[in-house]
Amino acid sequence: DAGITQSPRHKVTETGTPVTLRCHQTENHRYMYWYRQDPGHGLRLIHYSYGVKDTDKGEVSDGYSVSRSKTEDFLLTLESATSSQTSVYFCAISSGARLGAEAFFGQGTRLTVV
Amino acid sequence: DAKTTQPNSMESNEEEPVHLPCNHSTISGTDYIHWYRQLPSQGPEYVIHGLTSNVNNRMASLAIAEDRKSSTLILHRATLRDAAVYYCILRDGYNTDKLIFGTGTRLQVFP
């Protein structure tokens, strides 16, 4: 299994509080991604990173920020959590699409905002 | 980003072959065709990928149309464990690598 770890795995937080989710990899892959998945929906890309300090927005980036200060860690921050951000969050890593490299996914973080 | 179109759901009986179609009429020459699947309560997992030629691995086969505007994921003998949502994705091999998912095909496998 690819070395990718998400923490925490479960979190309940109150509306208006800041929340940070961590994705940690041991594969030295260049690309890292954050997705959210809501019931009955596929994965929607929030933000992704193509290198240290290099990030870009995905499909649903409003209300989220990210940081990548070192290769192995990609942090997703909800500055002020809202109930609409209750979801399962997945992190993924990849060495890149060149030559068709596959992506590996974490086990997910279930976040509940009450 | 080039889009893919998949049926919402498909059904199969156990031990029968399954052909999961994907249309990608706007595919570019540098797009790789990737397939992932997501088992219940798990993160997606890689199944197979290809560029122009058909591909086989221990999990499945990928048949790519000659014009590359469509592809088919083939599970040779479906098992109950293959019940999942299958996603067909295009990944640009030379430019951005956003890895955008569509809605996928939910495969049900009956005993």
Side-chain angles (χ1 to χ4, degrees):
Chain A
D1 291 339
I4 176 171
T5 306
Q6 291 185 229
S7 59
R9 292 292 312 280
H10 302 271
K11 186 170 182 65
V12 179
T13 192
E14 293 185 350
T15 299
T17 59
V19 176
T20 295
L21 308 182
R22 181 187 186 222
C23 179
H24 178 78
Q25 62 152 327
T26 58
E27 304 295 326
N28 201 35
H29 283 341
R30 178 182 177 188
Y31 292 86
M32 298 186 76
Y33 307 82
W34 276 108
Y35 296 87
R36 63 176 288 173
Q37 186 170 37
D38 302 302
H41 290 78
L43 284 86
R44 291 184 290 173
L45 181 66
I46 304 172
H47 282 280
Y48 73 108
S49 170
Y50 48 95
V52 174
K53 293 187 174 20
D54 292 323
T55 65
D56 201 355
K57 295 179 180 180
E59 307 166 280
V60 289
S61 59
D62 288 348
Y64 301 95
S65 63
V66 290
S67 67
R68 192 169 177 199
S69 59
K70 46 186 178 178
T71 300
E72 57 266 36
D73 288 324
F74 192 33
L75 304 180
L76 176 70
T77 298
L78 292 65
E79 300 291 347
S80 178
T82 68
S83 58
S84 65
Q85 293 175 312
T86 292
S87 189
V88 179
Y89 292 84
F90 288 100
C91 176
I93 62 174
S94 174
S95 59
R98 187 163 297 190
L99 301 181
E102 65 194 88
F104 300 93
F105 286 80
Q107 288 303 300
T109 294
R110 183 173 297 276
L111 176 67
T112 302
V113 183
V114 298
Chain B
D1 297 313
K3 300 290 187 185
T4 62
T5 303
Q6 301 177 251
N8 288 333
S9 62
M10 293 186 65
E11 298 177 352
S12 175
N13 294 317
E14 203 173 8
E15 298 192 3
E16 290 184 353
V18 180
H19 290 232
L20 298 167
C22 181
N23 287 317
H24 29 78
S25 59
T26 60
I27 191 170
S28 73
T30 56
D31 283 338
Y32 286 83
I33 302 162
H34 276 239
W35 283 82
Y36 290 79
R37 72 179 186 180
Q38 187 174 21
L39 302 173
S41 302
Q42 294 189 25
E45 63 177 351
Y46 167 81
V47 177
I48 200 167
H49 78 273
L51 184 61
T52 56
S53 303
N54 295 343
V55 184
N56 300 296
N57 66 19
R58 64 176 179 81
M59 289 181 71
S61 296
L62 177 60
I64 301 173
E66 195 170 337
D67 62 5
R68 300 210 323 128
K69 293 185 176 182
S70 65
S71 61
T72 302
L73 178 71
I74 302 167
L75 307 178
H76 295 286
R77 291 183 62 196
T79 68
L80 296 178
R81 195 187 175 281
D82 291 323
V85 178
Y86 287 78
Y87 297 96
C88 169
I89 302 163
L90 300 182
R91 296 188 70 187
D92 189 330
Y94 290 93
N95 296 305
T96 61
D97 190 18
K98 284 191 173 183
L99 194 56
I100 301 290
F101 281 73
T103 53
T105 297
R106 180 174 298 278
L107 176 66
Q108 291 182 282
V109 180
F110 298 105

